[in-house]
């Protein structure tokens, strides 16, 4: 079968190659991929790929071989899935607990835009706790996670201030329910009960300074790729007794299929709206990855297989 493999070359980060078709484990279904999405974080990993790396975590397609242990879809079914690797290919083996059935009302392109960003947003808000009536500051709001967090948090009753440098993107976030959009964390007017920080660099200290006493700052990324310098004496100038915690979307592990089913349901009922900035044939994957890395794509980028 055909699949994309990393090259280590920033100018052409992946090439299409012939690889062996996957042999599913007992708890895995074989999915014929119809569409997959790429994430900006994946572009960074392509800079120094490990031997044998096969990227790809967000897929939608058709189950052509159900799992041998009887779990998951028992027949041919349209699905969205979140394998840990290997999704940029004609076929991928996906654990059945990382699959959800895709209804006919949603396209493969819509489905492929959901997994990583959507699961991260759902679990990030669970980690933050109840948000109804609380003030939330979200940095790095221009990405896929920021889009989903804004819409989900606003729908749950939060007052969301989104930080994004992109004015057009900011207008879109206001349409999703953000109460305010600023272009720098230093311009936000606190205090905030919850800060969701994914930029790093100078954004984290600026966001911390706007956290309420006893509030919570959750760090879930470093999109700026700039290390953070933090002076803990800053806690005494406002956010006394505040909490800083790190978040990873796979902690705790498991339950991906349930979260995918939630995302599918919310999208199918018009309560969640994936922002898809580019759809292209998978022959153009290398160019799309470069554009995504260099911030020339707003929203999710989805590749389709002919």
């Amino acid at each position: 079968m055909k699949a994309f493999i990393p090259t280590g070359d920033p100018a052409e980060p992946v090439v299409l190659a012939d690889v062996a078709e996957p042999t599913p484990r007992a708890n895995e279904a074989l999915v014929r991929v119809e569409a997959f999405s790429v994430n900006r974080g994946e572009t960074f990993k392509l800079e120094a790929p490990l031997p044998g790396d096969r990227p790809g975590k967000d897929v939608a397609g058709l189950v052509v071989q159900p799992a041998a242990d009887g779990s998951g879809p028992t027949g041919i079914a349209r699905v969205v899935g979140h394998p840990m690797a290997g999704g940029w290919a004609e076929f991928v083996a996906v654990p059945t607990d990382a699959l959800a059935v895709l209804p006919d009302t949603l396209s493969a392109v819509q489905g492929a835009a959901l997994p990583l960003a959507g699961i991260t947003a759902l679990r990030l808000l669970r980690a933050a706790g109840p948000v109804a009536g609380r003030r939330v500051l979200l940095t790095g709001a221009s990405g896929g996670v920021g889009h989903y967090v804004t819409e989900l948090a606003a729908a749950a009753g939060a007052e969301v201030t989104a930080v994004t440098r992109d004015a057009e993107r900011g207008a879109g976030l206001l349409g999703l329910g953000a109460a305010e959009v600023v272009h720098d964390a230093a311009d936000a007017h606190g205090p905030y009960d919850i800060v969701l920080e994914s930029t790093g660099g100078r954004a984290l200290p600026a966001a911390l300074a706007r956290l309420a006493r006893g509030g919570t700052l959750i760090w879930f990324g470093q999109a700026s790729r700039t290390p953070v310098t933090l002076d803990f004496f800053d806690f005494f100038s406002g956010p006394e007794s505040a909490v800083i915690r790190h978040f990873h979307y796979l902690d705790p592990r498991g339950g991906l299929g349930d979260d995918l089913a939630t995302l599918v349901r919310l999208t199918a009922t018009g309560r969640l709206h994936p922002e898809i900035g580019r759809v292209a044939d998978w022959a153009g994957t290398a160019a799309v990855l470069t554009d995504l890395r260099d911030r020339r794509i707003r929203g999710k980028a989805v590749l389709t297989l002919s």
Side-chain angles (χ1 to χ4, degrees):
M1 72 169 186
K2 298 290 186 182
F4 280 102
I5 60 173
T7 64
D9 179 0
E12 189 177 13
V14 294
V15 294
L16 200 58
D18 290 307
V19 302
E21 187 173 306
T23 301
R25 296 183 175 91
N27 68 330
E28 294 178 333
L30 185 65
V31 176
R32 186 178 73 207
V33 179
E34 296 178 350
F36 61 82
S37 69
V38 295
N39 300 283
R40 192 161 182 265
E42 291 173 304
T43 69
F44 302 150
K45 291 185 177 181
L46 292 174
E47 294 173 2
L50 298 174
D53 270 0
R54 286 275 313 285
K57 293 187 173 185
D58 293 357
V59 303
L62 194 68
V63 171
V64 293
Q65 180 181 316
D69 66 1
S71 60
T74 56
I76 295 176
R78 298 179 69 242
V79 293
V80 54
H82 188 58
M84 289 297 101
W88 302 350
E90 291 181 300
F91 295 91
V92 62
V94 186
T96 54
D97 64 358
L99 285 174
V101 173
L102 198 62
D104 292 338
T105 54
L106 295 183
S107 68
V109 169
Q110 289 173 296
L114 291 174
L116 180 58
I119 292 169
T120 300
L122 274 180
R123 294 186 169 193
L124 184 61
L125 288 172
R126 289 189 194 127
V131 297
R134 307 187 78 185
R135 301 194 73 207
V136 176
L137 177 65
L138 171 66
T139 69
S142 61
V145 175
H147 176 102
Y148 290 134
V149 167
T150 299
E151 187 166 20
L152 290 169
E159 182 184 331
V160 180
T161 295
V163 183
T164 174
R165 295 180 181 178
D166 187 323
E168 184 180 357
R169 175 67 170 168
L173 293 170
L174 290 170
L176 293 173
E180 182 183 19
V181 172
V182 297
H183 301 302
D184 191 302
D187 297 329
H189 303 289
Y192 295 94
D193 304 296
I194 300 166
V195 171
L196 306 175
E197 211 292 294
S198 65
T199 304
R202 63 184 182 85
L204 195 153
L208 177 63
R210 286 145 184 81
L211 187 62
R213 187 179 189 279
T216 300
L217 184 151
I218 302 178
W219 173 69
F220 68 100
Q222 194 157 303
S224 69
R225 310 186 79 184
T226 303
V228 173
T229 300
L230 188 61
D231 185 345
F232 280 85
F233 283 103
D234 289 343
F235 277 97
F236 301 132
S237 63
E240 288 187 349
S241 302
V243 173
I244 294 179
R245 62 165 292 187
H246 176 249
F247 166 87
H248 189 276
Y249 85 107
L250 289 180
D251 295 329
R253 294 184 178 271
L256 294 174
D258 292 339
D259 286 343
L260 282 173
T262 297
L263 294 167
V264 167
R265 174 176 56 81
L266 292 173
T267 305
T269 55
R271 297 168 63 189
L272 192 66
H273 301 84
E275 181 185 30
I276 300 168
R278 185 177 300 178
V279 179
D281 185 88
W282 76 322
T285 296
V288 168
L289 286 166
T290 301
D291 286 347
L292 186 65
R293 180 195 65 203
D294 296 339
R295 297 185 182 277
R296 290 193 288 266
I297 298 174
R298 187 166 61 91
K300 297 292 294 181
V302 180
L303 288 307
T304 60
L305 279 66
S306 300

